[in-house]
């Protein structure tokens, strides 16, 4: 229960009497009786004054029937309807005329209590104090809602901060392993260990991304970049990206694309996230050697939906089914709730923090779709089904043919002619990064690719070294001590103009973060942990894939 004290304003009774009625014997009796009961009374000049006072906080409103006219009824209803959801201001009407305005109002709005005249002090006091007691409970509910909202905001801010902080060490680990891949021991066991670090770092990166996305999605800070997206193609890419995990678990996966093209008006990156989450869960929650089915279909919409032209609407359906541990009936209703996880062994061998499905549901809802989970119980496998509105167009009837997806930098074939990222255009690169591990690992990686590298450990030195050394490219962290990355970019740009390429390297990747780096003079914005293929493309002057 909230500890917030009730403000005296929130305990007062607002009194509305007919014009000139403030001094009559009834008004005096009301003041006296309520005053003796410790209730504060405030006389309001008219209905509007009363509405204004009520909006600032009040315990109840006491209105003489003759202060109301038929014309004032809509205004009263409007004021009552405009209250916040927790509020239901008690309205006490001093009633004289049988079936008068008071009776009518009591039939129209539920918060009205009629007080018969002539008033008796004890009945007035008991009616008012009962109303105030109820009102106090409403204010307590308001405080609880405010506390819950505050706690939710704090949680989201904490998650966002945590996610961001985790990206820095992850960046260093991912880059270091890239270096080891080139200079490390060729011994089989060493190679296996490197692969393991890479796999686990990728897993951690995905968790961090989910963490950040969950907090953004809850505070409405994710904007979809919709385009006509081929669902067969997205599903195929997701399957490809899970290859390593499937292999490690010795699962058999069957992919059944829709025989016709299924187009959805969607953000392909977000849909990938949805399907990837479902696939990863199926892989995680199925004991080794299990079976997983992924399918894409176009089906008539469930329910009385129709498309804009009045035809029967089509839904795009993605199903992920597995032969895994299944989900208990009581868990099924909650699997999409934040931080929900079924009971599991203490070793938590499947990892995870209960964010993935929350994110899946929110992202699917943002696309106007639904997601459901089915399972016949523990040990009987699970099926997750995503339904999205399909785009009704002739082109979507075209037979399915895989096409290379431009937005996936990860899967694009490496462009460099010799070894994967060996540079064809060696550059002079300045790295401005305060994290020693991240700085060193990135420096070594770029040297291995054939570039000449200079480093600076803070913003001020970054500016000095850039101006003195005139590098071709400066990779600049944003959260630097002293002079931050934006300032560094501005100052370097002022002196060196367009002769240097400025690339921001940061844990923040939202559109407004990218807007800020652009405004500071950066040419590109990379999010940590940096994708080596993407970085190598930028350095080779190859166009970055869309979406980055
Ligand atoms: P996480 O996997 O990180 O714990 P999710 O939100 O993705 O979080 O999933 C929530 C919970 O739902 C999981 O912890 C697990 O108990 C259950 N679950 C999800 N997918 C499956 C599945 N395919 N089979 C069995 N249980 C599942």
């Amino acid at each position: 229960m909230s500890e917030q004290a009730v403000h005296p304003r929130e305990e007062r009774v607002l009194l509305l009497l007919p014009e000139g009625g403030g001094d009559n014997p009834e008004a005096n009796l009301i003041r006296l009786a309520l005053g003796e009961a410790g209730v504060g009374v405030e006389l309001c000049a008219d209905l509007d004054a009363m509405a204004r006072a009520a909006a600032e906080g009040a315990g109840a409103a006491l209105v003489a029937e003759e202060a109301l006219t038929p014309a004032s009824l809509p205004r009263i209803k409007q004021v009552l309807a405009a209250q916040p959801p927790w509020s239901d201001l008690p309205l006490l009407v001093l009633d004289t005329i049988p079936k008068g305005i008071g009776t009518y109002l009591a039939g129209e709005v539920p918060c009205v209590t009629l007080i018969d005249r002539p008033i008796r002090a004890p009945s007035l006091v008991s009616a008012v104090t009962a109303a105030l007691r109820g009102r106090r409970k409403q204010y307590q509910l308001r405080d609880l809602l405010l506390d819950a909202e505050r706690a939710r905001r704090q949680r989201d801010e904490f998650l966002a901060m945590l996610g961001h902080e985790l990206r820095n060490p992850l960046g260093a680990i991912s880059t270091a392993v890239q270096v080891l891949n080139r200079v490390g021991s060729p011994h089989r066991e060493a190679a296996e260990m490197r692969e393991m670090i890479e796999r686990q770092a990728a897993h951690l990166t995905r968790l961090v991304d989910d963490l950040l996305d969950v907090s953004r999605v809850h505070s409405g800070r994710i904007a979809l970049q919709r385009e006509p997206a081929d669902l067969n193609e997205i599903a195929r890419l997701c399957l490809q990206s899970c290859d390593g995990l499937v292999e490690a678990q010795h699962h058999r996966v069957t992919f059944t694309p829709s025989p016709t093209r299924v187009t959805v008006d969607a953000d392909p990156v977000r849909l990938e996230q949805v399907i990837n989450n479902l696939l990863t869960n199926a892989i995680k929650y199925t004991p080794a050697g299990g079976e997983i089915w992924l399918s894409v279909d176009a089906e008539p919409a469930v329910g009385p939906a129709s498309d804009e032209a009045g035809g029967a609407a089509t839904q795009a359906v993605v199903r992920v089914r597995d032969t895994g541990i299944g989900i208990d009936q009581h868990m099924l209703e909650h699997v999409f709730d934040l931080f929900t996880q079924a009971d599991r062994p203490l070793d938590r061998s499947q990892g995870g923090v209960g964010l993935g499905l929350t994110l899946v549901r929110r992202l699917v809802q943002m696309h106007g779709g639904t997601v459901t989970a089915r399972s016949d119980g523990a040990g009987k496998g699970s099926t997750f089904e995503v339904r999205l509105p399909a785009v009704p167009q002739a082109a979507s009837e075209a037979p399915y043919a895989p096409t290379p997806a431009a937005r996936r930098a990860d899967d694009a074939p490496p462009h460099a002619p010799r070894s994967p990222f060996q540079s064809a255009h060696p550059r002079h690169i300045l790295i401005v990064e305060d994290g020693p591990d991240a700085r060193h690992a990135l420096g070594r990686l770029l040297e291995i690719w054939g570039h000449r590298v200079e480093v600076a450990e803070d913003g001020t030195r970054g500016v000095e070294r850039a101006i003195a050394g005139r590098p071709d490219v400066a990779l600049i962290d944003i959260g630097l001590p002293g002079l931050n990355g934006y300032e560094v970019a501005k100052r370097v740009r002022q002196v060196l103009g367009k002769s240097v390429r400025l690339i921001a390297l940061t844990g923040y990747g939202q559109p407004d973060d990218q807007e800020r780096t652009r405004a500071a003079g950066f040419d590109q914005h990379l999010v940590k942990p940096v994708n080596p293929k993407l970085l190598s493309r930028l350095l080779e002057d190859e166009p970055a894939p869309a979406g980055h």
Side-chain angles (χ1 to χ4, degrees):
M1 189 63 57
S2 162
E3 292 297 318
Q4 276 155 291
V6 179
H7 195 278
R9 218 175 28 209
E10 295 168 354
E11 287 274 299
R12 65 187 167 164
V13 170
L14 305 175
L15 182 61
L16 182 63
L17 297 172
E19 237 183 285
D23 260 337
N24 66 24
E26 188 184 56
N28 291 332
L29 181 144
I30 292 170
R31 279 203 202 86
L32 197 66
L34 293 182
E36 277 178 5
V39 177
V41 178
E42 188 171 314
L43 185 65
C44 301
D46 55 26
L47 198 53
D48 281 334
M50 181 177 252
R52 279 196 301 277
E56 287 166 6
L62 182 59
V63 180
E65 186 176 42
E66 58 282 14
L68 300 174
T69 62
S72 55
L73 294 179
R75 175 78 181 120
I76 292 183
K77 283 194 196 167
Q78 185 195 18
V79 170
L80 294 175
Q83 300 178 91
W86 53 267
S87 174
D88 195 13
L89 180 72
L91 183 57
L92 300 124
V93 179
L94 303 174
D95 189 42
T96 336
I97 314 159
K99 301 205 174 134
I101 287 185
T103 319
Y104 173 77
L105 199 58
E108 288 285 300
V109 284
C111 57
V112 171
T113 305
L114 296 179
I115 298 177
D116 289 339
R117 274 159 155 168
I119 306 172
R120 285 195 329 107
S123 353
L124 173 72
V125 169
S126 76
V128 167
T129 47
L132 289 180
R133 211 170 30 250
R135 183 62 170 165
R136 235 168 270 139
K137 291 254 180 258
Q138 293 175 22
Y139 278 117
Q140 282 171 356
L141 177 64
R142 174 202 61 184
D143 294 342
L144 281 179
L145 290 172
L146 284 176
D147 286 350
E149 173 55 23
R150 215 175 357 253
R152 194 193 62 73
R153 224 180 12 251
Q154 273 172 356
R155 182 203 68 200
D156 286 350
E157 278 163 14
F158 172 75
L159 289 181
M161 185 272 298
L162 181 69
H164 175 253
E165 285 307 307
L166 288 173
R167 277 201 170 152
N168 283 315
L170 270 175
I173 293 170
S174 305
T175 314
V177 96
Q178 297 292 328
V179 173
L180 283 180
N181 280 343
R182 296 303 310 279
V183 301
S185 155
H187 193 279
R188 190 177 59 83
E189 196 176 351
E192 273 173 17
M193 292 296 129
R194 284 197 297 270
E195 270 173 33
M196 189 193 73
I197 298 173
E198 218 168 356
R199 212 169 34 243
Q200 296 297 331
H203 182 57
L204 271 174
T205 306
R206 229 178 356 246
L207 280 177
V208 168
D209 286 345
D210 280 359
L211 205 62
L212 286 172
D213 282 344
V214 157
S215 71
R216 282 189 213 121
V217 117
H218 272 92
S219 48
R221 279 181 293 139
I222 280 193
L224 296 181
Q225 291 172 23
R226 288 179 185 251
E227 59 184 67
D230 178 344
L231 205 53
N232 276 331
E233 183 57 18
I234 292 177
R236 191 185 62 78
L237 287 172
C238 292
L239 203 56
Q240 226 173 48
S241 73
C242 290
D243 261 2
L245 290 176
V246 169
E247 229 168 83
Q249 288 290 101
H250 308 291
H251 291 322
R252 206 169 56 229
V253 182
T254 312
F255 174 40
T256 318
S258 162
T260 55
R261 185 185 293 272
V262 182
T263 309
V264 281
D265 179 32
D267 184 332
V269 173
R270 295 301 174 187
L271 276 196
E272 262 190 60
Q273 208 174 352
V274 165
I275 300 174
N276 264 333
N277 256 305
L278 296 180
L279 271 177
T280 324
N281 277 350
I283 296 166
K284 274 197 306 192
Y285 298 113
T286 300
E291 270 203 75
I292 294 167
W293 294 268
L294 169 68
S295 65
V296 175
D297 290 289
E299 295 180 2
V302 179
S306 62
D307 66 17
E308 276 164 17
T314 307
Q315 273 178 341
V317 187
V318 180
R319 286 191 188 86
V320 180
R321 183 156 76 87
D322 62 58
T323 54
I325 61 170
I327 304 171
D328 273 348
Q329 209 53 38
H330 77 275
M331 256 296 286
L332 265 181
E333 298 163 28
H334 302 292
V335 279
F336 296 101
D337 298 344
L338 193 57
F339 304 132
T340 295
Q341 300 187 306
D343 297 340
R344 57 173 62 164
L346 282 177
D347 67 357
R348 298 184 48 84
S349 54
Q350 287 98 352
V353 285
L355 292 173
L357 288 181
T358 306
L359 200 56
V360 163
R361 182 172 59 184
R362 294 299 292 241
L363 290 174
V364 169
Q365 284 170 343
M366 285 172 75
H367 282 91
T370 55
V371 56
T372 47
R374 267 181 290 134
S375 173
D376 290 331
K380 305 240 170 83
S382 313
T383 304
F384 284 80
E385 186 178 283
V386 175
R387 290 183 166 267
L388 299 164
V391 176
Q393 58 180 24
S396 69
E397 300 305 318
Y400 168 61
T403 53
R407 286 186 76 165
R408 299 229 2 142
D410 295 345
D411 293 320
H415 260 259
R418 286 163 274 162
S419 78
F421 305 117
Q422 198 64 43
S423 177
H425 311 98
R427 316 255 182 223
H428 172 192
I429 301 176
L430 171 67
I431 300 171
V432 189
E433 161 71 68
D434 59 327
D437 288 348
R439 189 172 63 235
H440 180 63
L442 186 59
R444 279 299 294 133
L445 185 68
L446 294 175
E447 278 172 358
I448 288 167
W449 290 355
H451 302 291
R452 180 158 72 84
V453 175
E454 228 185 319
V455 294
E457 53 278 31
D458 60 39
T460 314
R461 288 193 182 92
V463 175
E464 282 166 13
R465 279 181 204 157
I467 292 169
R470 300 187 159 259
D472 303 312
V473 179
L475 284 164
I476 305 171
D477 182 27
I478 295 297
L480 291 166
L483 219 50
N484 68 31
Y486 302 118
E487 269 309 307
V488 174
K490 274 186 207 151
R491 294 185 190 192
V492 171
R493 191 61 89 207
Q494 258 166 17
V495 179
L496 298 185
K498 277 284 169 194
S499 69
V500 59
R501 170 118 63 103
L502 300 179
I503 302 179
L505 201 56
T506 153
Y508 299 100
Q510 285 304 287
D512 45 340
D513 301 320
Q514 301 193 12
E515 190 40 53
R516 261 191 95 180
T517 47
R518 210 180 353 261
F522 281 100
D523 297 295
Q524 271 102 17
H525 181 117
L526 290 183
V527 179
K528 292 176 183 175
V530 64
N531 175 334
K533 290 178 192 172
L534 186 59
L535 178 60
S536 132
R537 279 183 163 205
L538 287 183
L539 296 176
E540 295 306 295
D541 269 339
E542 287 163 13
H548 288 279

